[in-house]
Amino acid sequence: TSRQCFPRRLPGLGNITSFDLELDLNRVDLRELANDFSRMTALEELALKIYGGYDYKGEPVDRTELPNIKRLRIKVLQAGTNEFHYSHRTGVMQAFFSSLVFSGVVSLHIILTGYVIKPFPEADYPELLVIDDMACIFQHAKQYHLVERLQIEATGSGRIRPESKDTFEIGCIS
């Protein structure tokens, strides 16, 4: 397990078979990260926890194929919740996921968490807006083409905003 730190100098990096990585997309160089993943040739199980990405100004990243990963778990924190920076964040997520091809993944588990919001004041119900996050994760046909088991979880806080005291019993995922 690594949090904001990739063990680049670990002599046995190529021998690691299972890796949990927490990424603040504000603080990573996507090119270096793709290169690091490509060095992990024995990696079969990868768990990514992703957040941030509001200030990243990186270059386009070449595609990196990760054919040995069989089980992939992607958790996106704050999915669809920050309207002001949202388009920039999804741009960073789009660059990140477009650079990675998980051609051997057979089990894919996606978890999206965020705050439930009303898309406009007159809305009848709040929503967890995750469609753009999903579009970033699923970008091209060969990215996850061997998946046999797909599990998607989308959960939102029952509050309109973190600071709000208003709660909702029901909502919509879109």
Side-chain angles (χ1 to χ4, degrees):
T1 301
S2 181
R3 184 171 188 232
Q4 303 307 333
C5 175
F6 205 97
R8 288 188 175 95
R9 294 197 173 123
L10 182 68
L13 190 62
N15 298 325
I16 294 175
T17 59
S18 179
F19 190 53
D20 291 16
L21 180 62
E22 185 174 320
L23 290 173
D24 177 348
L25 293 177
N26 289 329
R27 298 176 181 226
V28 296
D29 181 319
L30 296 182
R31 287 180 185 216
E32 284 183 20
L33 186 60
N35 185 45
D36 292 336
F37 279 140
S38 69
R39 292 178 42 221
M40 300 178 80
T41 56
L43 191 60
E44 294 179 1
E45 187 172 335
L46 177 62
L48 296 171
K49 186 176 186 180
I50 299 170
Y51 57 92
Y54 307 113
D55 301 320
Y56 181 81
K57 295 176 181 50
E59 301 282 326
V61 182
D62 294 333
R63 280 204 179 153
T64 300
E65 184 145 353
L66 304 167
N68 295 329
I69 297 176
K70 304 296 181 215
R71 289 170 302 286
L72 177 62
R73 181 175 181 224
I74 301 167
K75 183 172 186 175
V76 179
L77 302 178
Q78 304 162 346
T81 57
N82 191 330
E83 299 90 11
F84 180 71
H85 294 292
Y86 189 68
S87 63
H88 186 65
R89 182 178 77 110
T90 55
V92 175
M93 282 182 54
Q94 184 173 17
F96 176 67
F97 284 107
S98 71
S99 70
L100 301 173
V101 178
F102 299 96
S103 57
V105 168
V106 293
S107 177
L108 178 58
H109 184 181
I110 299 170
I111 303 166
L112 304 159
T113 65
Y115 291 106
V116 177
I117 62 170
K118 281 193 172 186
F120 49 92
E122 300 82 25
D124 293 330
Y125 51 85
E127 296 183 49
L128 176 59
L129 306 169
V130 297
I131 190 72
D132 290 332
D133 296 285
M134 290 297 287
C136 290
I137 294 169
F138 292 96
Q139 291 186 44
H140 43 88
K142 295 188 179 185
Q143 198 165 13
Y144 312 99
H145 70 277
L146 294 180
V147 169
E148 297 170 358
R149 182 178 188 280
L150 175 63
Q151 181 179 354
I152 299 174
E153 298 176 44
T155 56
S157 152
R159 300 194 182 277
I160 300 174
R161 300 247 187 258
E163 64 278 0
S164 173
K165 291 185 174 42
D166 297 329
T167 61
F168 295 101
E169 305 250 338
I170 59 170
C172 177
I173 298 171
S174 58

